[in-house]
Amino acid sequence: MKFPLLPDNPSYRIVEIFESLQGEGYHTGMPAVFIRLGKCNLACAWCDTDYLNFRPMSLHDILNTVAAYASRNIIITGGEPTIQPHLNQLLDALKARGYRLHLESNGLQAIPEQIDYAAVSPKAAYAEKYAAAGTKRADEVRIVADGDVLAFCSTIEQNIQAERYYLSPCERDGEMNIHHTIRQLGQLNARGSAFPHWQLSVQTHKWAGIE
């Protein structure tokens, strides 16, 4: 059986590559190089990323760009990274250079095996998609409270096994629904020790004025 040959220097949809601090979740404050990939398989009304504004960039150019930064942590984000063609080839190249790889995904696709830490953010507006597909394991789950998400959080607890679960406020027009979010957080944690303990995660990088 013949298998298609992989290109030596594939091209990727790159929105931006930059070095900053992780702004949310368990690794808040961790220095990292962010590789933001274009396109997504969802279209959340409150999304704050222009994932359709991307440029093609070769694997070699990506590796050279990343090498200019000090951090040895890479956060692959988007858009939705798991729909990127030749993603495994990029991950293999980064791993071969000794980077620790983090992935931020909506969780509808499987998490690549090269990933060291997976942060999955299922979207309540697309709850029906998660009933039939998606990853079953992650290091952390982050759900944006873009409405009444209690039932969705309960479903995700059953569908995705994770070390940590986070609830995040939804930002619209520069305003975060903090009160609505922490009220639901309290309701989740009032169910008792038989259920996962949920924590608050906010986008601290926006408060700090960094990317």
Side-chain angles (χ1 to χ4, degrees):
M1 179 181 295
K2 292 185 177 180
F3 295 93
L5 295 176
L6 294 174
D8 291 332
N9 190 25
S11 180
Y12 295 87
R13 301 183 290 249
I14 298 295
V15 175
E16 56 185 343
I17 299 176
F18 60 97
E19 188 173 30
S20 188
L21 303 177
Q22 171 61 284
E24 54 191 319
Y26 180 72
H27 288 288
T28 294
M30 180 188 74
V33 178
F34 291 76
I35 301 177
R36 189 179 302 282
L37 299 169
K39 292 196 175 182
C40 190
N41 51 358
L42 300 180
C44 302
W46 42 264
C47 182
D48 59 1
T49 300
D50 187 6
Y51 53 78
L52 294 179
N53 184 18
F54 56 83
R55 68 189 189 281
M57 193 170 182
S58 72
L59 174 60
H60 293 170
D61 286 344
I62 293 171
L63 296 175
N64 288 336
T65 300
V66 168
Y69 296 114
S71 180
R72 304 302 296 171
N73 302 308
I74 303 287
I75 297 178
I76 312 290
T77 185
E80 175 49 47
T82 61
I83 66 171
Q84 184 78 205
H86 309 299
L87 178 63
N88 282 329
Q89 202 166 344
L90 172 61
L91 299 179
D92 285 341
L94 292 169
K95 290 293 284 186
R97 286 157 177 78
Y99 290 102
R100 177 175 171 81
L101 301 184
H102 294 234
L103 180 78
E104 297 186 338
S105 170
N106 60 32
L108 283 176
Q109 306 288 334
I111 302 299
E113 63 181 12
Q114 302 94 325
I115 296 301
D116 297 296
Y117 191 92
V120 170
S121 181
K123 303 302 189 290
Y126 295 92
E128 72 285 351
K129 292 181 179 291
Y130 292 93
T135 185
K136 301 303 180 185
R137 181 74 177 87
D139 294 285
E140 72 180 62
V141 167
R142 301 183 207 139
I143 292 179
V144 174
D146 56 349
D148 185 351
V149 297
L150 293 175
F152 183 66
C153 289
S154 179
T155 297
I156 292 300
E157 289 173 345
Q158 300 172 47
N159 292 348
I160 303 179
Q161 181 183 1
E163 297 294 325
R164 306 166 185 94
Y165 295 86
Y166 293 94
L167 197 62
S168 300
C170 182
E171 181 179 350
R172 298 177 189 266
D173 301 322
E175 296 291 330
M176 291 187 184
N177 61 343
I178 295 290
H179 184 273
H180 178 69
T181 301
I182 62 173
R183 180 179 58 81
Q184 293 191 84
L185 185 67
Q187 290 175 282
L188 285 168
N189 290 332
R191 297 173 300 167
S193 59
F195 297 90
H197 179 78
W198 287 71
Q199 302 175 74
L200 178 67
S201 176
V202 296
Q203 293 181 311
T204 60
H205 52 284
K206 293 184 177 180
W207 292 352
I210 59 177
E211 286 191 271

